[in-house]
Amino acid sequence: MNELVGEFHHKLDAKARLSLPSKIRSVIGEVVIVTRGLDGCGYVYSQDQWGVITEKLSTLSLGSQSARAFNRFILSSAVETSIDKSGRILVPETIRDHAGLADEVVIAGVGNRLELWNPADWQNQLGQFDENIDELAEKLADIGAI
């Protein structure tokens, strides 16, 4: 399976449409799900990956307040949208507001999804990563991930 990887800088047009790179379009399919993401970004999933996510979420206990809150956060903002002939997706207002998207958008491929970032927030995320990279690498090495 091809993964969604890479960093791309694109602009929202006047109708809140975002052009996806052709490299990404060939992997993600013709219909995607856009939803709120963690850390102040938006998430974009392929239909197949969204099915995996919703299946996992459906196994969470309704008795857990955290599970209910997380389901509300992710699922209530989810919108299915088709990629148009020009390779664009509509980014709903809820997602634009949540992620602070106005003009330029950083599209980050992170394996099973795309993340949509306000450029300043993306730079902040990268700065935090740079500060903690050695600690993170050590933790990942301890569990055999790298």
Side-chain angles (χ1 to χ4, degrees), residues 22-121:
S22 59
K23 171 185 171 185
I24 294 296
R25 292 193 308 262
S26 67
V27 175
I28 204 164
E30 296 178 11
V31 177
V32 297
I33 291 74
V34 184
T35 191
R36 279 187 293 250
L38 301 175
D39 302 315
C41 70
Y43 287 167
V44 180
Y45 288 101
S46 68
Q47 282 185 307
D48 289 343
Q49 189 60 41
W50 183 246
V52 171
I53 297 299
T54 56
E55 180 64 31
K56 288 178 183 179
L57 291 175
S58 72
T59 65
L60 299 176
S61 171
L62 288 176
S64 165
Q65 183 178 7
S66 297
R68 292 191 311 272
F70 188 75
N71 273 332
R72 286 183 197 117
F73 177 79
I74 294 291
L75 299 174
S76 68
S77 65
V79 175
E80 183 177 282
T81 187
S82 296
I83 298 175
D84 71 14
K85 293 177 185 176
S86 298
R88 300 170 300 193
I89 60 169
L90 178 65
V91 181
E93 183 177 7
T94 0
I95 309 310
R96 293 191 317 268
D97 289 347
H98 171 74
L101 305 177
D103 183 29
E104 187 174 339
V105 177
V106 176
I107 303 168
V110 293
N112 69 343
R113 69 181 178 279
L114 300 175
E115 294 182 349
L116 306 179
W117 287 92
N118 168 299
D121 292 342

